[in-house]
Amino acid sequence: MNFTRRTGNGGRTVLYSVLVLALTCGVLLYGGNYSAAQTTFPGTNLGAIPDGGATCPTPGAPRDVAFNVTGISGAPTNISVSMTFGGPVHTFAGDIIAVLIAPNGASHTLFGRTGATTATAFGSGSDLAGPYTFNDAAAGTNWWTAAAATPIPTGTYRTTPTGGAGVTNPPAPTVLNTPFAAIPTSNGTWTLRVTDGCSADTGAVSAASLTLTGAPAVPASAPVDYNGDGKTDYSVVRNTGGGPTGQVTWFACTNGQTEPGCWNFFVWGLASDFFVPEDYDGDNKTDIAVWRPGAATVAAFYIFQSQTSTLRVELFGQTGDDPSVVGDYNGDNKADVAVFRNGVNPGDQSTWFYRTTQSGPVTFVPWGTTGDFPAPGDYDGDGKNDFVIQRNDGGGQARFWRRYATGTTDTVNFGTPTDLIVPGDYDGDGKTDIAVVRGIGGSINWFVVPSSTGVISAAPFAVFGTSATDYVVQGDYDGDGKTDVAIWRPNGDPTQNFFYTLGSTAGLGRFEWGATGDYPVANFNSH
């Protein structure tokens, strides 16, 4: 039965000297183009601009209009600032300096002391009305040239330096994006600081907005996602060499391709290895990887890193360890090599071992005892894998014992000791949910405790699959950030081997892929 608790990796393997063959004979589709998100944020703290001093220029207190920026990836790649002056106008544009300030303090002048070419000049007497938009894509009239009319015409302009001694009329426009290109993050409070430098002429900022475009959006990580599009791909491994240590070939169809056009393959490993595909290099694409058991200092991870198309070898673990607990233990968005080592004798300590830098020091965390099963994942949503085990609690009950990366612990009584653990984020809140499957009446019953509610239900989350034949292959097949219920069903008919998915957004789906005797790669994350 494929539904029973596994102690190993189905049809597993070791890595021959097949690196050259792997690089030249088979290539999985790595790729993915992502558009950057553009978002507009309204300004707050609008209102009157305090008047300046009697001696010009003597700035008054600033009007700081705030923009609360969230959800932008990385530093901004494009910035646009819009503002409208009221009262119904602000008289004497030459009095005003408008500066944009990023959350880290980086700043850039949008315009200032318009028309002033000496240190004490009054500058332009035109009125400010708007709306005015400032960005690098603006073409046409220079801001100072526009100030020949009053009020200055509504429009889109390039930014200009602050007028004063040595500034020509009109000055060359400046670049808005460049000063902010290196800020660590776009998110936080941005400030439009508007200052009046002379008395008697007044007005207000009546409206403002900030539009930011961040770095290209990177989709949420999905298990077994070779091209980084945020969707789990259909993938199996096959013993193409024959025998218990035969050479293994990975066959994959990236989600969204049609079956006749996606015979992507990759020669990697042997049938005695454990298959541990994860994103080890942080490019948001799953890397093909195996762990080969052996004595200490011999056992190793063999990883083909998609970012550089290079082999990475990590000596780690020993025969008897469970490498299916690989994951991100330090929150750097890269999977770390890791193993779970069960205690040998009844009552012995079980231990988690992991390494966060290549060939670096090994960290170990004692958690669990002999006979426990690991249930890896990020249960508190802090970006770091936690240490979680399922234990026989007696009376036909199981209990999950969780030790978080922070050191805090808790327990949840859930399921039975023979349930298969199928961790994933089924509710899409960024936290791993406690989840198991159980064969009842020949069907696979899925039970989930959503972390968003914590509600334990006696009713199954879903009834999906046949326990006698199917492999569980949970993953995010529709790319909505939620783990989907899924199985792979082999069949003697080579045209009838199907992945069946129950997408949280897309609903029921199926995809023909693989052959009898194959091992579906996504099953590695069942315990």
Side-chain angles (χ1 to χ4, degrees):
M1 287 176 60
N2 298 323
F3 182 61
T4 56
R5 172 93 65 180
R6 296 182 302 107
T7 57
N9 219 115
R12 306 162 313 176
T13 343
V14 189
L15 191 75
Y16 263 118
S17 298
V18 295
L19 176 59
V20 174
L21 181 64
L23 290 172
T24 58
C25 291
V27 179
L28 285 169
L29 289 185
Y30 289 121
N33 297 311
Y34 315 113
S35 59
Q38 176 178 291
T39 308
T40 298
F41 303 91
T44 60
N45 194 39
L46 304 171
I49 305 167
D51 209 11
T55 301
C56 301
T58 303
R63 165 61 60 182
D64 283 347
V65 177
F67 307 97
N68 182 29
V69 173
T70 60
I72 298 295
S73 176
T77 57
N78 194 35
I79 301 171
S80 186
V81 191
S82 294
M83 67 195 77
T84 301
F85 294 87
V89 297
H90 189 294
T91 54
F92 221 100
D95 289 356
I96 298 298
I97 299 176
V99 178
L100 182 65
I101 305 170
N104 72 332
S107 64
H108 183 71
T109 298
L110 304 177
F111 68 90
R113 300 198 65 217
T114 303
T117 56
T118 67
T120 57
F122 290 109
S124 172
S126 297
D127 295 336
L128 291 166
Y132 306 117
T133 299
F134 295 88
N135 63 48
D136 290 342
T141 306
N142 180 286
W143 173 255
W144 278 34
T145 302
T150 188
I152 298 176
T154 294
T156 302
Y157 298 92
R158 297 280 299 278
T159 59
T160 59
T162 301
V167 178
T168 59
N169 188 2
T174 60
V175 179
L176 175 58
N177 292 330
T178 301
F180 303 107
I183 67 174
T185 177
S186 298
N187 298 322
T189 301
W190 289 67
T191 303
L192 170 61
R193 177 162 294 170
V194 184
T195 308
D196 190 317
C198 283
S199 62
D201 291 282
T202 59
V205 180
S206 57
S209 66
L210 173 67
T211 301
L212 297 181
T213 303
V218 178
S221 179
V224 194
D225 176 14
Y226 298 114
N227 65 340
D229 65 354
K231 298 179 182 180
T232 298
D233 298 318
Y234 307 104
S235 179
V236 298
V237 291
R238 182 175 304 162
N239 184 344
T240 50
T245 58
Q247 184 174 290
V248 162
T249 303
W250 301 57
F251 294 92
C253 190
T254 50
N255 197 323
Q257 285 186 283
T258 57
E259 188 275 335
C262 62
W263 277 99
N264 307 305
F265 67 97
F266 205 90
V267 180
W268 199 256
L270 302 173
S272 53
D273 287 345
F274 288 72
F275 309 120
V276 285
E278 273 283 7
D279 178 15
Y280 295 91
D281 56 10
D283 64 353
N284 229 58
K285 302 171 187 175
T286 296
D287 302 315
I288 293 172
V290 299
W291 179 75
R292 180 186 305 169
T297 73
V298 175
F301 286 87
Y302 294 87
I303 303 165
F304 184 78
Q305 299 185 129
S306 59
Q307 191 171 56
T308 56
S309 295
T310 56
L311 168 66
R312 170 181 166 189
V313 179
E314 289 270 354
L315 299 177
F316 200 84
Q318 63 187 38
T319 297
D321 290 347
D322 181 354
S324 67
V325 297
V326 291
D328 182 3
Y329 287 87
N330 65 340
D332 65 352
N333 296 316
K334 300 178 183 179
D336 304 311
V337 297
V339 296
F340 174 75
R341 187 170 300 163
N342 224 318
V344 176
N345 302 305
D348 282 356
Q349 179 73 65
S350 295
T351 307
W352 303 63
F353 296 88
Y354 64 92
R355 175 186 285 152
T356 60
T357 58
Q358 186 170 348
S359 303
V362 176
T363 301
F364 67 93
V365 176
W367 192 248
T369 60
T370 305
D372 293 342
F373 292 95
D378 177 14
Y379 288 81
D380 58 359
D382 65 351
K384 302 176 183 179
N385 261 28
D386 303 308
F387 311 96
V388 182
I389 55 92
Q390 177 207 52
R391 178 177 299 168
N392 187 337
D393 205 41
Q397 295 290 309
R399 183 176 292 274
F400 285 79
W401 294 73
R402 298 188 290 194
R403 174 173 173 167
Y404 300 99
T406 58
T408 60
T409 64
D410 64 18
T411 69
V412 178
N413 187 264
F414 184 70
T416 73
T418 57
D419 290 343
L420 190 68
I421 305 161
V422 286
D425 182 10
Y426 292 85
D427 56 3
D429 66 349
K431 302 177 182 179
T432 300
D433 303 314
I434 293 175
V436 299
V437 292
R438 184 184 313 155
I440 302 176
S443 297
I444 300 177
N445 286 245
W446 300 67
F447 295 88
V448 178
V449 182
S451 56
S452 56
T453 65
V455 174
I456 298 175
S457 173
F461 179 77
V463 179
F464 198 76
T466 301
S467 59
T469 58
D470 298 347
Y471 291 81
V472 291
V473 289
Q474 76 275 14
D476 185 5
Y477 291 86
D478 55 12
D480 65 354
K482 300 178 182 179
T483 299
D484 302 319
V485 169
I487 58 95
W488 180 71
R489 180 173 298 164
N491 193 296
D493 183 337
T495 66
Q496 295 297 310
N497 297 271
F498 281 98
F499 282 84
Y500 290 92
T501 58
L502 188 59
S504 49
T505 296
L508 181 64
R510 73 172 191 170
F511 191 85
E512 200 281 319
W513 194 249
T516 298
D518 290 350
Y519 174 72
V521 175
N523 183 253
F524 93 97
N525 194 26
S526 60
H527 313 270

